[in-house]
Coordinates of all heavy atoms in Angstrom, one line a residue:
P364 N -7.1 10.0 4.3 CA -6.0 9.7 5.2 C -5.8 10.9 6.3 O -5.1 10.7 7.3 CB -4.8 9.7 4.3 CG -5.2 10.4 3.1 CD -6.7 10.2 3.0
L365 N -6.4 12.0 6.0 CA -6.3 13.2 6.9 C -7.4 13.2 8.0 O -7.4 14.1 8.8 CB -6.2 14.5 6.1 CG -5.1 14.6 5.1 CD1 -5.2 15.9 4.4 CD2 -3.7 14.4 5.8
A366 N -8.4 12.3 7.8 CA -9.5 12.4 8.7 C -9.1 11.9 10.1 O -8.2 11.1 10.3 CB -10.6 11.5 8.2
T367 N -9.7 12.5 11.1 CA -9.4 12.1 12.5 C -10.5 11.2 13.0 O -11.5 11.0 12.4 CB -9.4 13.4 13.4 OG1 -10.7 14.0 13.3 CG2 -8.3 14.3 13.0
G368 N -10.2 10.5 14.1 CA -11.1 9.6 14.7 C -10.5 8.2 14.6 O -9.5 7.9 14.0
P369 N -11.2 7.2 15.2 CA -10.7 5.8 15.3 C -10.6 5.1 13.9 O -9.8 4.3 13.7 CB -11.7 5.1 16.2 CG -13.0 5.9 16.1 CD -12.5 7.3 15.9
E370 N -11.5 5.5 13.0 CA -11.5 4.9 11.7 C -11.9 5.8 10.6 O -13.1 6.2 10.6 CB -12.4 3.6 11.7 CG -12.6 3.0 10.3 CD -11.3 2.7 9.6 OE1 -10.3 2.2 10.3 OE2 -11.2 2.8 8.4
P371 N -11.0 6.3 9.8 CA -11.4 7.3 8.8 C -12.4 6.9 7.8 O -13.1 7.7 7.3 CB -10.0 7.6 8.0 CG -9.2 6.4 8.4 CD -9.6 5.9 9.7
S372 N -12.7 5.6 7.6 CA -13.7 5.2 6.7 C -15.1 5.4 7.3 O -16.1 5.1 6.7 CB -13.5 3.7 6.3 OG -13.7 2.9 7.5
D373 N -15.2 5.9 8.6 CA -16.5 6.2 9.1 C -17.2 7.3 8.4 O -18.4 7.5 8.6 CB -16.3 6.7 10.6 CG -16.0 5.5 11.5 OD1 -16.1 4.4 11.1 OD2 -15.6 5.7 12.7
R374 N -16.5 8.0 7.5 CA -17.1 9.1 6.8 C -17.5 8.7 5.4 O -17.7 9.6 4.5 CB -16.0 10.3 6.7 CG -15.6 10.8 8.1 CD -14.8 12.0 8.0 NE -14.5 12.5 9.3 CZ -13.9 13.7 9.6 NH1 -13.6 14.5 8.6 NH2 -13.7 14.1 10.8
I375 N -17.7 7.5 5.1 CA -18.0 7.0 3.8 C -19.3 6.2 3.8 O -19.5 5.3 4.7 CB -16.9 6.2 3.2 CG1 -15.6 7.0 3.1 CG2 -17.3 5.6 1.8 CD1 -14.4 6.1 2.9
A376 N -20.3 6.5 2.9 CA -21.5 5.8 2.8 C -21.6 5.3 1.4 O -21.7 6.1 0.5 CB -22.7 6.7 3.2
V377 N -21.6 4.0 1.2 CA -21.7 3.4 -0.2 C -22.8 2.4 -0.3 O -22.9 1.5 0.5 CB -20.3 2.8 -0.5 CG1 -20.3 2.3 -2.0 CG2 -19.1 3.7 -0.3
A378 N -23.6 2.6 -1.3 CA -24.6 1.6 -1.7 C -24.2 0.9 -3.0 O -23.3 1.4 -3.7 CB -26.0 2.3 -1.8
H379 N -24.9 -0.2 -3.3 CA -24.7 -0.8 -4.6 C -26.0 -1.3 -5.2 O -26.9 -1.7 -4.5 CB -23.6 -1.9 -4.5 CG -24.2 -3.2 -3.9 ND1 -24.9 -4.1 -4.7 CD2 -24.1 -3.7 -2.7 CE1 -25.2 -5.1 -3.9 NE2 -24.8 -4.9 -2.7
T380 N -26.0 -1.3 -6.5 CA -27.1 -1.8 -7.2 C -26.6 -2.5 -8.5 O -25.9 -1.8 -9.3 CB -28.2 -0.7 -7.6 OG1 -29.2 -1.3 -8.4 CG2 -27.5 0.5 -8.2
G381 N -26.9 -3.7 -8.7 CA -26.3 -4.4 -9.9 C -24.8 -4.5 -9.8 O -24.2 -4.8 -8.8
D382 N -24.1 -4.1 -10.9 CA -22.7 -4.0 -11.0 C -22.1 -2.6 -10.6 O -20.9 -2.4 -10.7 CB -22.2 -4.4 -12.4 CG -22.3 -5.9 -12.7 OD1 -22.3 -6.6 -11.7 OD2 -22.5 -6.2 -13.8
E383 N -23.0 -1.8 -10.1 CA -22.6 -0.4 -9.8 C -22.6 -0.1 -8.4 O -23.5 -0.5 -7.6 CB -23.6 0.6 -10.6 CG -23.2 2.0 -10.5 CD -24.3 2.9 -11.2 OE1 -25.4 2.9 -10.7 OE2 -24.0 3.4 -12.3
A384 N -21.6 0.7 -7.9 CA -21.6 1.1 -6.5 C -21.7 2.7 -6.5 O -21.0 3.3 -7.4 CB -20.4 0.7 -5.8
I385 N -22.4 3.2 -5.6 CA -22.5 4.7 -5.5 C -22.2 5.2 -4.1 O -22.7 4.7 -3.1 CB -24.0 5.1 -5.8 CG1 -24.4 4.6 -7.2 CG2 -24.2 6.6 -5.8 CD1 -25.9 4.6 -7.5
A386 N -21.2 6.1 -4.0 CA -20.8 6.6 -2.8 C -21.3 8.0 -2.6 O -21.3 8.9 -3.5 CB -19.2 6.7 -2.7
L387 N -21.8 8.3 -1.4 CA -22.3 9.6 -0.9 C -21.2 10.1 0.0 O -21.0 9.6 1.1 CB -23.6 9.4 -0.2 CG -24.4 10.7 0.1 CD1 -24.8 11.4 -1.2 CD2 -25.6 10.4 1.0
V388 N -20.5 11.2 -0.5 CA -19.4 11.7 0.2 C -19.7 13.0 0.8 O -19.9 14.0 0.0 CB -18.1 11.8 -0.7 CG1 -16.9 12.3 0.1 CG2 -17.8 10.4 -1.4
P389 N -19.7 13.2 2.1 CA -19.9 14.5 2.7 C -18.7 15.4 2.7 O -17.6 14.9 2.9 CB -20.3 14.2 4.2 CG -19.6 12.9 4.5 CD -19.5 12.1 3.1
L390 N -18.9 16.6 2.5 CA -17.8 17.6 2.5 C -18.1 18.7 3.4 O -19.3 19.1 3.5 CB -17.5 18.2 1.1 CG -17.3 17.2 -0.1 CD1 -17.3 18.0 -1.4 CD2 -16.0 16.5 0.1
P391 N -17.1 19.3 4.1 CA -17.4 20.5 4.9 C -18.0 21.5 4.0 O -17.6 21.7 2.8 CB -16.0 20.8 5.4 CG -15.2 19.6 5.4 CD -15.7 18.8 4.2

Side-chain angles (χ1 to χ4, degrees):
L365 301 179
T367 58
E370 172 53 37
S372 63
D373 286 348
R374 301 188 174 190
I375 301 163
V377 185
H379 77 82
T380 173
D382 287 334
E383 184 182 70
I385 301 167
L387 189 64
V388 182
L390 304 172

